[in-house]
Amino acid sequence: MSKRFLVPEVVQTSGMDCGPAALSCLLAGFGINASYGRLREACQTDVDGTSINTLEDTARLLGLDVVQLMVPPTRVVRHLPAIVVVRLPSGMLHFVVVWRQHGQFLQIMDPAVGRRWVRADRFVDEIYVHTHRMPDGAKVEGAVLVRVNGVGTVDWDALPADLRAALTEPPPRPLAEMVRPVPWGVLGVGAVAAAIGVTVEAVLFREAINGSFGPVLGVAVGLLVLETLLALGGTRLGRGLDLGLRRTLLGRLPLLPDRYLHSRPTSDLAERAHRLHQLRDLPALGVEVVRTLTEIVAVVVAIALIDFDAALPAAIAAVTAVGASLVVHPVIAERDLRQRSHSGALARFFLDGMLGLTALRAHTAEAVVTAEHDRRLRDWAASGRALARAVVSAEALQRICGVGAAAWLVWQARDHEPATFLLLAFWAVSLPTLAARVGRLTRQWPWHRNVAHRLVEPLAAPQEDQPIVAKSVDGGVAIAFRNVSVVAGGHTVLDGVDLSVMAGERIAIVGASGSGKSTLIGLLLGWHVPAGGVAEIDGAPLDPVLLRQSTAWVDPAVSLWNSSLADNLGYGNADPDIARAVDEAELNGIRANQLGDAGGLLSGGEGQRVRLGRALLRSNVRLALLDEPFRGLDPAQRDRMLERLDSWWHGATVLMVTHDAREALGFPRVLVMERGRIVEDGDPAASTRLPELLDEQAGSRALLAGWRNVEVGA
């Protein structure tokens, strides 16, 4: 199977998804269609990105003959096509697909923007140079890449289920449910009619010069009405796109897996939400493109009808002007990409600086930060000057070509009577202007396309099954894990867990930070999917969507809203008994009408008690998952809450994660976890690990208490 001449474009939809996007592009270039969304899930992309080893292994499983190499940067062009690691202006690593070499230029698919053309010598400066230390201590440096030798075979029997889904899933069409072709078609016809009308209006102006004003006034009024309708139609269509996407997203968000949202940086999701309104500009941009191209064609046809001898110079003027815009577009787009990258790196630097302001002051790192800022500012300014030079040079080239062709056209029309000569001269001068508009719109398109791709990507993401109404069942759930493992970000966080929980049991889970306690809870909530083993609830395969309908969940990550206490307690609960929750969770002291963003007007302990109160109002609870439910509470409050725990959620199965081993002593059963494994399971009185944890925590508390008596001298 031969590779395509032009590399397919796959634009990444998240700041950290360049790996799956590059892999999807490479597969499509050899005729292997694979779902980008499914590849992202299969590559186990986390906020740290995807490793090049994962890309190599996945590409081989999906039918490409690939090999990972490290070569001198200047020899990368000898190993195409390949996925190459480059370094962005922000310092982050990035994957691009280098597809072909065309003379001095390389055809590259950059997942950040799409296809681009770069001089080979300039691309060498972007390549990331990796240093590898040999066993004998010697160092080897070179570019890291995954080269494709050709198409291999796919072993369907050995193919994991997620990769099989990537090959068999039909391509998503997320905009199909929002975009109706009829309004777009009407808008396009209106744009064509407006462009032709402008040309006709110019012809009628020639008659107006000779004293006939009626027709031109009629066409002018008609164009005014048509322009108004086009503006209103474009605005209405853009508003419909914006609102339609918002409504569709609100209906789809509850069905997205938790790991989908957790694996994307918060800044990336916030940026998408901020840019939702920019969908409104797409209809206007489309109308402008159709109208400009139609007007160029209409002008050339009109010139040919008035003076056939001028048809050739008119056609050459149009082709030359538009061609000049398209020829210089890759150069300008390349510099524009660099400018945007440096601008983004500078903005991210300021954001990181504000988020780390306390640490910056504490370490007196002002000089270091200022020096780094100055370096990035110099890079941004240099890229801006390069972009300005490219734009000015391109416009000068375009004007020279356009003016030369226009002069030829005017010279050809010199023998016409004055009105016709003026009309032909007007059209000759307008062709370069129209072509410049085409160039401007062409430069805008990649950015608008990238924004649109990122906005609609959640609609095409794999989603959980539609939730079904859980049957009302008395008693708790029975949990059975057999050799269950969980992998996140390429790391094993649960390893061979065996666990059997009877319905109605109450179990404490303890262990050091990072031992896998919260991951065990997250598995039941659907945050993670078992990479191996069997997970069952009541003898059936674990269905987190169904299980959540009868689960009470308390965790510091549970969101609090900037609303009243009653609204926060009743959130998601039908007919809540607010007074009962206030008494049980000891919330009588909170009188604020608004709790602040994320509960910012509350202390840590107050916020946790609000979360507890909300969970206490859940109905039909068969499973209570409590992750540090008493965090931030003073010892007396904590003891009172522990005494009441047995009276909450009668008959339900209760799993409580805690860092305080003392809290586990009151439970009939305790799980002790270390490094993703359950190392002890049973009665706390018979535990050998629990006393060790208690001693460690007692020693830490004694050390902290002793600090109060330490005197620090000069």
Side-chain angles (χ1 to χ4, degrees):
M1 185 181 298
S2 60
K3 67 177 183 178
R4 294 168 52 173
F5 179 77
L6 289 177
V7 59
E9 290 186 292
V10 181
V11 179
Q12 69 189 69
T13 55
S14 175
M16 307 303 297
D17 286 356
C18 56
L23 180 57
S24 178
C25 160
L26 207 59
L27 291 164
F30 284 89
I32 303 174
N33 295 319
S35 165
Y36 163 49
R38 292 291 183 180
L39 282 180
R40 188 190 188 285
E41 300 300 324
C43 290
Q44 293 289 339
T45 305
D46 207 335
V47 292
D48 295 325
T50 307
S51 70
I52 196 167
N53 294 333
T54 301
L55 294 181
E56 178 190 15
D57 296 339
T58 306
R60 189 174 292 113
L61 287 171
L62 292 173
L64 289 180
D65 179 12
V66 296
V67 60
Q68 185 178 162
L69 302 172
M70 190 169 72
V71 301
T74 55
R75 300 183 64 180
V76 167
V77 295
R78 301 184 184 181
H79 301 277
L80 304 184
I83 297 177
V84 182
V85 183
V86 299
R87 186 181 290 279
L88 296 175
S90 62
M92 298 178 63
L93 300 185
H94 184 63
F95 292 115
V96 299
V97 176
V98 186
W99 190 246
R100 290 179 183 270
Q101 183 174 15
H102 307 270
Q104 296 183 346
F105 286 86
L106 296 176
Q107 184 188 158
I108 295 176
M109 202 293 294
D110 187 336
V113 293
R115 188 186 302 113
R116 60 189 180 105
W117 307 80
V118 186
R119 286 177 58 95
D121 56 349
R122 187 180 295 274
F123 178 68
V124 171
D125 297 333
E126 300 181 21
I127 296 175
Y128 164 68
V129 179
H130 175 68
T131 301
H132 180 72
R133 186 178 295 276
M134 304 297 288
D136 59 359
K139 295 181 179 179
V140 179
E141 295 184 340
V144 181
L145 55 91
V146 174
R147 184 185 69 193
V148 181
N149 299 320
V151 178
T153 59
V154 178
D155 185 356
W156 286 91
D157 294 332
L159 202 63
D162 47 8
L163 292 182
R164 190 179 297 112
L167 292 178
T168 57
E169 184 177 86
R173 291 179 172 83
L175 281 176
E177 54 190 281
M178 293 186 299
V179 175
R180 292 172 294 177
V182 173
W184 285 88
V186 172
L187 206 62
V189 171
V192 171
I196 296 175
V198 170
T199 307
V200 172
E201 185 182 32
V203 174
L204 293 178
F205 264 114
R206 181 182 62 169
E207 303 301 326
I209 294 176
N210 296 326
S212 179
F213 289 97
V216 69
L217 288 176
V219 172
V221 172
L223 281 176
L224 178 61
V225 174
L226 182 57
E227 293 283 0
T228 303
L229 293 176
L230 274 177
L232 292 175
T235 301
R236 182 176 181 180
L237 196 57
R239 186 169 59 247
L241 270 178
D242 184 7
L243 296 178
L245 179 61
R246 291 175 188 271
R247 292 192 182 108
T248 306
L249 280 174
L250 287 176
R252 193 68 60 87
L253 280 176
L255 303 180
L256 292 176
D258 292 283
R259 61 186 180 279
Y260 172 87
L261 298 175
H262 290 168
S263 63
R264 281 156 170 80
T266 302
S267 58
D268 178 77
L269 297 175
E271 183 185 18
R272 295 196 208 187
H274 175 68
R275 289 186 174 181
L276 268 174
H277 69 280
Q278 292 173 350
L279 274 182
R280 300 187 178 209
D281 299 334
L282 286 181
L285 181 65
V287 167
E288 190 74 7
V289 170
V290 172
R291 180 173 176 168
T292 304
L293 293 176
T294 303
E295 194 169 345
I296 291 174
V297 173
V299 166
V300 173
V301 171
I303 291 174
L305 291 176
I306 292 176
D307 184 355
F308 186 76
D309 292 336
L312 180 60
I316 292 177
V319 172
T320 302
V322 175
S325 297
L326 298 180
V327 167
V328 300
H329 169 68
V331 178
I332 295 179
E334 173 69 20
R335 284 160 176 75
D336 183 62
L337 172 63
R338 288 178 177 270
Q339 170 71 357
R340 291 180 187 275
S341 298
H342 283 292
S343 179
L346 199 59
R348 189 179 301 110
F349 180 84
F350 274 103
L351 176 61
D352 292 341
M354 287 186 288
L355 294 176
L357 188 60
T358 301
L360 187 155
R361 290 171 174 169
H363 292 88
T364 61
E366 292 85 350
V368 176
V369 173
T370 301
E372 178 66 13
H373 169 263
D374 290 346
R375 182 185 69 80
R376 299 196 182 201
L377 188 61
R378 286 193 297 271
D379 292 340
W380 172 79
S383 66
R385 288 192 296 268
L387 176 61
R389 286 194 298 267
V391 171
V392 171
S393 302
E395 290 183 351
L397 174 63
Q398 184 184 25
R399 291 296 180 183
I400 291 172
C401 295
V403 170
W408 181 18
L409 179 57
V410 172
W411 176 261
Q412 189 72 26
R414 68 188 184 281
D415 296 330
H416 286 281
E417 47 92 14
T420 302
F421 174 78
L422 288 175
L423 177 61
L424 293 176
F426 166 72
W427 279 337
V429 174
S430 67
L431 282 175
T433 303
L434 293 173
R437 192 189 304 169
V438 172
R440 187 182 72 252
L441 295 172
T442 303
R443 291 194 294 271
Q444 292 179 10
W445 170 244
W447 183 77
H448 281 282
R449 180 192 55 184
N450 185 298
V451 171
H453 269 277
R454 297 184 68 192
L455 290 178
V456 302
E457 186 262 346
L459 304 184
Q463 63 185 48
E464 294 177 336
D465 296 331
Q466 293 284 348
I468 59 176
V469 178
K471 296 180 180 179
S472 181
V473 179
D474 294 331
V477 300
I479 302 171
F481 290 166
R482 294 190 292 276
N483 198 30
V484 170
S485 60
V486 171
V487 177
H491 303 284
T492 301
V493 289
L494 282 186
D495 186 9
V497 171
D498 291 307
L499 176 64
S500 178
V501 179
M502 297 176 61
E505 275 197 277
R506 301 195 166 223
I507 301 175
I509 306 173
V510 299
S513 178
S515 60
K517 304 184 300 298
S518 296
T519 303
L520 189 65
I521 297 294
L523 185 62
L524 295 168
L525 288 167
W527 292 350
H528 307 285
V529 175
V534 176
E536 294 180 340
I537 298 294
D538 293 334
L542 170 64
D543 182 353
V545 180
L546 182 62
L547 183 60
R548 283 200 294 262
Q549 296 182 48
S550 56
T551 298
W553 175 41
V554 180
D555 188 287
V558 173
S559 295
L560 299 180
W561 313 111
N562 189 17
S563 186
S564 67
L565 175 62
D567 289 342
N568 273 276
L569 292 174
Y571 183 77
N573 296 315
D575 301 324
D577 185 356
I578 303 297
R580 169 178 168 267
V582 169
D583 289 338
E584 291 287 340
E586 299 186 6
L587 297 169
N588 294 286
I590 298 178
R591 293 287 183 262
N593 293 327
Q594 303 290 324
L595 302 189
D597 291 330
L601 298 180
L602 304 177
S603 68
E606 288 174 335
Q608 196 68 339
R609 281 183 282 137
V610 173
R611 298 179 179 96
L612 178 60
R614 183 188 295 174
L616 288 172
L617 295 180
R618 289 280 288 171
S619 59
N620 191 34
V621 174
R622 302 186 61 220
L623 175 65
L625 299 177
L626 314 178
D627 196 342
E628 294 292 334
F630 309 132
R631 177 186 293 184
L633 275 64
D634 60 57
Q637 280 184 319
R638 185 173 300 192
D639 292 340
R640 290 196 300 271
M641 296 291 180
L642 281 170
E643 291 176 359
R644 296 176 194 163
L645 183 60
D646 286 339
S647 64
W648 297 337
W649 305 297
H650 293 287
T653 303
V654 177
L655 302 181
M656 190 183 88
V657 170
T658 177
H659 283 89
D660 191 342
R662 293 180 303 171
E663 295 181 354
L665 296 176
F667 282 77
R669 181 179 174 187
V670 175
L671 305 180
V672 181
M673 299 195 67
E674 289 182 4
R675 298 181 180 180
R677 292 176 173 271
I678 298 176
V679 296
E680 198 170 73
D681 179 0
D683 187 343
S687 171
T688 58
R689 300 290 183 97
L690 202 56
E692 297 176 2
L693 292 174
L694 288 169
D695 290 342
E696 291 176 3
Q697 293 173 1
S700 299
R701 283 190 291 270
L703 180 61
L704 290 173
W707 285 354
R708 300 175 185 174
N709 302 319
V710 175
E711 180 178 347
V712 180

